[in-house]
Amino acid sequence: MVDSRSTDRTAQVARAAGAEVVSQDAMTRGLPRLAGKGDALWAGLAAAEGDVVAFVDADLREFRPHFVTGLLGPLLTDPGVQFVKGFYHRPLVGATSVEPDGGGRVTELMARPLLNLFWPELAGFVQPLAGEYAGRREVLERVPFVTGYGVETAMLIDLLELVGLDALAQVDLGERKHRHQDTAALGRMSAQIMLTAWSRLQRRGWAAPGVAPTALLTQFRRGGSEALPNLDREIVVSDVSVQERPPLAQMRQRLPRRRVAAA
Ligand SMILES: O=c1ccn([C@@H]2O[C@H](COP(=O)(O)OP(=O)(O)O)[C@@H](O)[C@H]2O)c(=O)[nH]1
Ligand SMILES: O=C(O)[C@@H](COP(=O)(O)O)O[C@H]1O[C@H](CO)[C@@H](O)[C@H](O)[C@H]1O
């Protein structure tokens, strides 16, 4: 498990449950300090030792082993498959009700249209942002990892270009419930995904090189002590910039295979 700067007892609890815990910061010590999910996954890949590596979000409710074994199936049975994405029904679990397929809000409102418009080859992925996926290490180490929440979007686009659509697969994992973030958080997530897509459009020559969109997102929070009198809202400006960890294959000599977090 990658301890991604948790501020609670996550690492201790995971270790007590038998997990081997690696620290995101320990794995990247000596490198520029980056943040977010993509940096944590890159650290996890650096720490892992298998020829096949699976990633699973830590906020799943009702986790089942098939969330991992299901991902491995195609990789273990078809040498032509290099990467496998999970898909599932995604209920949106509210305080008093459940909307059967209401989850995946960023997927349905932004990521799916975005990918369909500019990378229609990827339109067949049911859950392009799914946090459960697996791949062959030799392939995963050849793509950069975008930090923050752009990691899944960049990985799909980069792997499409690197190994081709026929090497990408998806498996039905049934239903996935997870801890939902609020709409403002998903707005920041969406902005990171858009910036990630912009960088891939620039690489493809579909967006002007050298044009850098702003990486500041302004949002409004109702009420609050800092609310402006004529607005009844606080203005919240967030840095939604994303960076990249280079392909791990280029960095391997600078990183040990594993730095297990100190007890
Ligand atoms: O800085 C981060 C953010 C996310 N995560 C991992 O990525 C998963 C998905 O992130 P999050 O739950 O924030 O996104 P959501 O599932 O709500 O889209 C988390 O459960 C963590 O396992 C991480 O390791 N470091
Ligand atoms: O798919 C989505 O729209 C978002 C939000 O899901 P919910 O609306 O909270 O079910 O969740 C995913 O997006 C993140 C960014 O790619 C991934 O890192 C998460 O693993 C995934 O849960």
Side-chain angles (χ1 to χ4, degrees):
M1 187 200 88
V2 175
D3 178 8
S4 183
R5 298 175 188 158
S6 58
T7 55
D8 55 16
R9 298 185 60 252
T10 295
Q12 294 89 321
V13 170
R15 204 176 291 114
E20 189 156 333
V21 180
V22 295
S23 153
Q24 172 180 346
D25 289 329
M27 283 310 302
T28 58
R29 190 173 300 125
L31 302 176
R33 180 179 166 89
L34 301 179
K37 181 178 181 181
D39 190 48
L41 297 186
W42 191 86
L45 181 62
E49 298 186 330
D51 296 331
V52 171
V53 180
F55 298 101
V56 176
D57 283 358
D59 69 334
L60 268 57
R61 312 291 191 222
E62 302 168 11
F63 173 83
R64 297 287 185 278
H66 78 270
F67 275 85
V68 174
T69 56
L71 293 171
L72 300 181
L75 292 165
L76 299 178
T77 55
D78 183 342
V81 172
Q82 305 297 330
F83 179 79
V84 182
K85 229 23 214 183
F87 70 88
Y88 22 59
H89 291 292
R90 301 184 65 177
L92 184 63
V93 180
T96 58
S97 65
V98 176
E99 189 180 338
D101 279 296
R105 291 161 290 172
V106 174
T107 298
E108 302 306 335
L109 292 172
M110 194 277 295
R112 192 182 309 286
L114 182 74
L115 290 171
N116 270 252
L117 292 181
F118 296 107
W119 291 274
E121 309 95 311
L122 297 174
F125 279 95
V126 180
Q127 291 294 347
L129 300 189
E132 288 67 45
Y133 40 94
R136 299 187 197 284
R137 165 194 297 287
E138 62 186 358
V139 172
L140 293 171
E141 291 194 348
R142 290 168 55 196
V143 293
F145 276 48
V146 167
T147 60
Y149 291 111
V151 59
E152 282 84 16
T153 304
M155 193 175 289
L156 269 184
I157 294 169
D158 294 349
L159 288 174
L160 173 67
E161 292 180 11
L162 180 68
V163 298
L165 187 61
D166 288 348
L168 310 180
Q170 61 182 344
V171 291
D172 186 353
L173 299 178
E175 181 176 274
R176 182 239 211 188
K177 294 178 182 174
H178 73 124
R179 182 195 57 221
H180 300 295
Q181 299 189 69
D182 63 29
T183 309
L186 298 187
R188 296 187 288 274
M189 176 189 290
S190 297
Q192 288 194 321
I193 293 170
M194 287 184 211
L195 287 173
T196 300
W198 178 267
S199 70
R200 275 26 190 197
L201 289 172
Q202 282 182 314
R203 190 175 66 188
R204 181 187 265 188
W206 285 18
V211 175
T214 179
L216 293 178
L217 175 65
T218 299
Q219 295 173 304
F220 298 89
R221 181 161 53 211
R222 183 174 184 166
S225 57
E226 304 295 320
L228 299 180
N230 59 339
L231 202 62
D232 186 30
R233 291 164 180 82
E234 288 179 316
I235 296 176
V236 181
V237 180
S238 304
D239 177 357
V240 291
S241 61
V242 291
Q243 290 82 36
E244 285 191 3
R245 286 290 185 203
L248 195 60
Q250 298 173 9
M251 306 287 291
R252 185 50 81 189
Q253 72 288 350
R254 293 178 60 181
L255 289 172
R257 269 285 191 201
R258 175 169 306 192
R259 286 182 193 164
V260 177

